[in-house]
Amino acid sequence: MRNLLGLEEISAEEIRRLLLSATGFKEILSRPVRKAPTLRGRSMVTLFYEASTRTRTSFEMAAKILSAEAINVAVAQSSVTKGESLQDTVRTLQALQMDCLVIRHQYSGAAEYAAKKLDVPVINAGDGRHEHPTQGLLDLISVCEHFGRVQSMDLSGLTIAIVGDISHSRVARSDAWGFSRLGAQVRFAGPKTLMPSNCRSLPVTVCSDLKAGLEGADVINVLRLQTERQEKGLLPSLREYSRQWGISARSMQWAKPGALVMHPGPMNRGVEISADVADGCHSIIFDQVTNGVAVRMAVLYQLMGVERE
Ligand code: ASP
């Protein structure tokens, strides 16, 4: 593995290797002094053209815990505002001797484009509606932990319902590839106007009714309406969307009793998820965030660590 651009192109074996490594790194997170010398002398640059709280911060924490330098390019204050192209920006960062680039961009394919221009590893931190592989990995490890599958990293027999704005979500795609590689059944459930036209090329079944989508589901992954990528007129109104597709105590009754609730964040409480479900006893939303640090440590180690030398 030279880059991490998407879960579509990595095998079940590689996914398992990363997840096992993440469970090892999780131990460091529970120590009183959270520091390991593993990546001393290396530098990771984060270049985010879109907003982020969890992903950027957890990459930074992951790098720092492993003793790497973490440098953030604030795109709004950078030469991007003077018209510098993506190619020139990433080549400039390479010339500054970075060892790894973590990039988020509004265009699907931007991370792959950057990888083609660079000799250093590139990690996709979300490209348009295409993929968000580290979110996919942290979702996988969170489900494995909850169902006691960390030893096997095998999710056979489980049904994962991914609900909401599928068509604009990169998380939905990474999760579809990741969960199905580990043996789970994946369902997409959402309004027809928010369902991608290429679902047949993905390892999922599609439900255009919430009840059918949730029936028998072990895990419900709730997606935000990605309004930053949506054209107008796809939904009658937020209220109707929430009534028909929102995950609430009422709709939870259709899933398996005790079904896990996940959300990649940021949440819009009262729109795609009710506050009582988000904060309820089946929600693992904040465990996902913690696992994000461990997963990103594993990815940085895999791409920049001693194994590469
Ligand atoms: N944080 C995730 C992403 O960047 C999900 C979201 O924004 O709704 O794709």
Side-chain angles (χ1 to χ4, degrees), residues 23 54 56 94 113 127 141 152 163 171 180 187 245 259 270 282-283:
T23 53
R54 280 149 287 267
R56 208 197 58 72
Q94 177 164 272
Y113 175 82
D127 61 329
I141 201 167
S152 64
V163 179
V171 176
S180 60
R187 269 184 212 157
W245 290 98
H282 302 302
S283 163

Side-chain angles (χ1 to χ4, degrees), residues 1-308:
M1 222 176 92
R2 185 169 142 51
N3 303 297
L4 179 63
L5 303 177
L7 296 191
E8 179 177 2
E9 64 241 16
I10 67 173
S11 64
E13 201 183 309
E14 280 171 313
I15 291 177
R16 289 200 172 97
R17 185 140 51 98
L18 282 170
L19 297 180
L20 279 175
S21 156
T23 53
F25 282 124
K26 228 182 145 176
E27 189 271 320
I28 300 180
L29 295 180
S30 58
R31 290 183 197 164
V33 179
R34 299 185 306 149
K35 201 79 177 170
T38 324
L39 294 179
R40 197 162 46 203
R42 307 293 164 100
S43 59
M44 170 202 78
V45 172
T46 49
L47 175 68
F48 278 46
Y49 289 78
E50 280 189 343
S52 171
T53 301
R54 280 149 287 267
T55 306
R56 208 197 58 72
T57 311
S58 58
F59 265 112
E60 187 171 332
M61 289 186 84
K64 287 182 171 163
I65 294 168
L66 294 176
S67 305
E69 298 295 329
I71 298 124
N72 179 48
V73 178
V75 168
Q77 277 103 53
S78 76
S79 293
V80 171
T81 59
K82 299 178 183 170
E84 189 162 54
S85 67
L86 177 58
Q87 172 171 189
D88 286 337
T89 302
V90 297
R91 288 181 64 195
T92 299
L93 297 171
Q94 177 164 272
L96 289 167
Q97 309 289 319
M98 68 174 168
D99 294 302
C100 171
L101 176 71
V102 180
I103 181 168
R104 168 170 289 188
H105 203 284
Q106 60 275 25
Y107 290 112
S108 304
E112 189 182 355
Y113 175 82
K116 284 194 178 128
K117 303 288 167 198
L118 298 180
D119 302 323
V120 297
V122 172
I123 301 171
N124 180 7
D127 61 329
R129 58 176 80 184
H130 172 231
E131 279 226 36
H132 190 350
T134 53
Q135 177 73 45
L137 292 171
L138 74 88
D139 288 347
L140 292 176
I141 201 167
S142 303
V143 172
C144 285
E145 274 181 349
H146 186 85
F147 287 95
R149 309 276 182 104
V150 172
Q151 292 300 319
S152 64
M153 296 290 179
D154 184 338
L155 296 177
S156 306
L158 296 182
T159 299
I160 319 292
I162 303 177
V163 179
D165 181 1
I166 309 283
S167 116
H168 302 93
S169 169
R170 48 202 177 206
V171 176
R173 275 170 198 71
S174 288
D175 276 1
W177 290 113
F179 279 109
S180 60
R181 292 263 148 83
L182 296 198
Q185 300 290 323
V186 184
R187 269 184 212 157
F188 279 173
K192 285 200 175 101
T193 49
L194 297 179
M195 203 53 83
S197 53
N198 67 342
C199 277
R200 282 213 195 111
S201 60
L202 294 165
V204 298
T205 53
V206 176
C207 302
S208 50
D209 167 69
L210 185 59
K211 188 164 186 257
L214 295 187
E215 242 155 23
D218 300 279
V219 176
I220 307 167
N221 194 8
V222 191
L223 302 175
R224 181 177 66 88
L225 287 172
Q226 323 264 305
T227 43
E228 67 275 30
R229 282 189 277 285
Q230 262 178 30
E231 319 87 85
K232 289 214 161 58
L234 293 178
L235 296 171
S237 72
L238 274 190
R239 239 177 85 208
E240 276 185 61
Y241 175 79
S242 178
R243 219 182 37 217
Q244 225 186 318
W245 290 98
I247 299 299
S248 60
R250 179 181 146 264
S251 49
M252 285 294 292
Q253 290 173 7
W254 298 326
K256 265 197 191 156
L260 280 194
V261 177
M262 303 172 73
H263 193 303
M267 287 186 269
N268 284 146
R269 290 167 182 256
V271 180
E272 74 273 8
I273 190 166
S274 65
D276 57 330
V277 171
D279 299 327
C281 59
H282 302 302
S283 163
I284 57 160
I285 293 170
F286 291 98
D287 298 338
Q288 289 174 261
V289 178
T290 308
N291 281 333
V293 180
V295 153
R296 288 167 181 129
M297 288 166 81
V299 171
L300 291 174
Y301 177 67
Q302 170 81 26
L303 295 179
M304 286 203 280
V306 277
E307 273 193 5
R308 272 197 81 69

